[in-house]
Amino acid sequence: MSRSRRDFLKLITGAGVAVAVPLTAEGHDHFTGYPDSYGILHDITLCIGCRSCEAACNKVNNLPAPEKPFEDLTVLDQKRRTDENTYTVVNKYDVGNSSVSPLFRKFQCNHCMEPACASACFVAAFTKTPEGAVIYDPSVCVGCRYCLIACPFEVPAYEFHDPLDPRVVKCTMCYPRIIEGKLPSCVEACPQEALTFGKREDLIAIARERIRKHPDRYINHIYGEHEVGGTSWLYISGVPFEKLGFRTDLGITPAPELTSGALAMVPIIIGMWPVLLGGIYFITQRKEKMAARELKDAVNEAIENTQASANEVKAKALAAAKQDKEKAIEKAVEKALKEAAKQAKETKEDNGKEDA
């Protein structure tokens, strides 16, 4: 039964100060890939930048529609990268040679023979399949995002917009279709046959034959044959690859060999997590309790001060009202006496007139 990342975090947090279990990162063992795995050859000289591969990828992966439709080729005027909603992009390059310019390059996960993402993942969320695709299991991912940093091609993307259950996403080389005996959607959709799917060894042979037959059309280099230990995506081109945005500084050493030293620390780090997280939790809870107590005291003090001020205001108001009432009574009595005296005077005068 698979665990969610929340279950994993609960597990290591609940472990407290238990003895650390020596977990081993996936990339510690040297792995040279599967000999009969599949791959895709991208002949850049045949690509026309139609974006049919982008549309097919979007459809098969149920991705949201882009801001501009796939028929709008103005997007090729800017350099784009893959992201959580786009698993492949086509970019245009003006290489300064009018006979071959512009050129178009498809960009997606290269599905390394020895994947850096898998070597960096200490929970084995990434797997290199016998078919050649590098796939991802979100049920075991803890969201550390080491894979994003490890990838030499900067391909994996993270669903930052999903706060509840974010995933790491990238091209899967249409792995579900491959195991059903179908072509990857981008290969099937390419109208120029710029993409060829097949056994990786066969694709290398095809690429070499094209280069041999047309030395004036291709440079003598198959990108991905040896870069970082080899990739399942292969490229041939008529211009140097650095002019098309490819990294040519990676060398041929597989990524796991470069990261094994750092990954050796992962078991120690994982063992320390329960203690570290437990300490952080304790300190946080203590701070929260102290803050709550201080807040309560401050509120009580404010209430007392407010009540005292209210009582003082009330007392002054009552005193003023009493004083006003007494003055009003005095005025009323004085007025009544005057009225009575006036009436008595008038009565006396009337009686005098009658006697006369």
Side-chain angles (χ1 to χ4, degrees):
M1 180 178 179
S2 61
R3 290 182 180 272
S4 68
R5 72 193 64 193
R6 298 179 185 83
D7 294 332
F8 180 83
L9 291 175
K10 290 178 181 177
L11 176 63
I12 62 173
T13 304
V17 293
V19 177
V21 178
L23 300 177
T24 303
E26 182 73 9
H28 286 180
D29 296 328
H30 184 64
F31 173 69
T32 58
Y34 297 97
D36 294 327
S37 63
Y38 293 99
I40 298 174
L41 173 64
H42 178 28
D43 189 335
I44 294 174
T45 67
L46 298 178
C47 184
I48 59 174
C50 65
R51 301 183 67 198
S52 296
C53 55
E54 291 187 26
C57 178
N58 180 277
K59 181 178 180 180
V60 77
N61 289 292
N62 297 313
L63 299 175
E67 293 183 3
K68 295 183 178 180
F70 292 107
E71 294 78 12
D72 187 348
L73 301 184
T74 60
V75 298
L76 298 175
D77 293 330
Q78 56 185 341
K79 296 299 180 291
R80 298 176 296 147
R81 296 199 61 83
T82 57
D83 56 36
E84 66 274 15
N85 295 323
T86 311
Y87 296 173
T88 187
V89 296
V90 175
N91 284 329
K92 182 174 70 173
Y93 296 87
D94 294 313
V95 296
N97 187 335
S98 59
S99 63
V100 298
S101 192
L103 293 175
F104 303 92
R105 170 208 171 183
K106 183 179 181 298
F107 181 81
Q108 74 296 303
C109 174
N110 285 326
H111 299 274
C112 302
M113 303 300 286
E114 300 183 62
C117 55
S119 71
C121 183
F122 56 84
V123 294
F126 283 94
T127 305
K128 178 70 172 180
T129 65
E131 290 78 14
V134 177
I135 60 174
Y136 164 77
D137 182 359
S139 68
V140 298
C141 178
V142 297
C144 68
R145 302 190 290 279
Y146 290 168
C147 53
L148 275 67
I149 301 172
C151 178
F153 302 106
E154 301 177 1
V155 169
Y158 192 70
E159 294 178 327
F160 288 100
H161 65 278
D162 187 346
L164 299 179
D165 195 20
R167 302 171 301 159
V168 176
V169 292
K170 67 175 191 64
C171 159
T172 65
M173 208 165 84
C174 284
Y175 179 69
R177 291 174 59 89
I178 291 176
I179 60 177
E180 291 178 0
K182 300 178 181 178
L183 289 173
S185 60
C186 58
V187 176
E188 187 175 67
C190 182
Q192 295 297 110
E193 296 185 359
L195 303 175
T196 305
F197 176 77
K199 294 290 182 68
R200 184 175 183 271
E201 293 183 356
D202 295 339
L203 296 177
I204 292 175
I206 291 172
R208 286 176 179 164
E209 182 64 13
R210 291 185 186 180
I211 294 172
R212 186 189 68 80
K213 285 185 175 181
H214 305 283
D216 56 332
R217 183 174 182 177
Y218 300 98
I219 62 171
N220 189 18
H221 183 186
I222 304 173
Y223 191 93
E225 181 179 9
H226 301 296
E227 277 76 8
V228 291
T231 61
S232 292
W233 270 83
L234 304 165
Y235 303 83
I236 52 177
S237 168
V239 300
F241 286 101
E242 58 266 23
K243 292 185 176 182
L244 301 174
F246 285 84
R247 289 195 61 179
T248 56
D249 60 336
L250 298 175
I252 62 174
T253 303
E257 293 185 23
L258 300 175
T259 58
S260 59
L263 291 172
M265 295 299 295
V266 169
I268 299 176
I269 296 171
I270 295 302
M272 292 174 62
W273 270 19
V275 179
L276 177 61
L277 293 178
I280 293 173
Y281 177 79
F282 173 78
I283 293 172
T284 302
Q285 291 297 310
R286 186 170 182 273
K287 285 184 177 180
E288 289 179 354
K289 288 181 180 179
M290 292 178 64
R293 188 181 299 113
E294 291 175 357
L295 178 61
K296 183 178 180 181
D297 293 342
V299 170
N300 289 336
E301 183 179 355
I303 292 174
E304 291 176 0
N305 293 337
T306 302
Q307 189 65 44
S309 299
N311 290 337
E312 184 178 352
V313 172
K314 181 179 179 182
K316 290 181 179 179
L318 289 174
K322 182 178 180 181
Q323 187 176 5
D324 292 342
K325 184 177 180 181
E326 290 175 352
K327 289 181 179 180
I329 292 173
E330 290 178 0
K331 288 182 179 181
V333 170
E334 183 180 355
K335 183 178 180 181
L337 291 174
K338 287 181 178 180
E339 291 290 335
K342 181 180 179 182
Q343 188 174 2
K345 181 179 179 181
E346 292 176 351
T347 302
K348 184 177 180 180
E349 290 177 353
D350 291 341
N351 291 336
K353 291 180 180 179
E354 290 179 357
D355 293 340

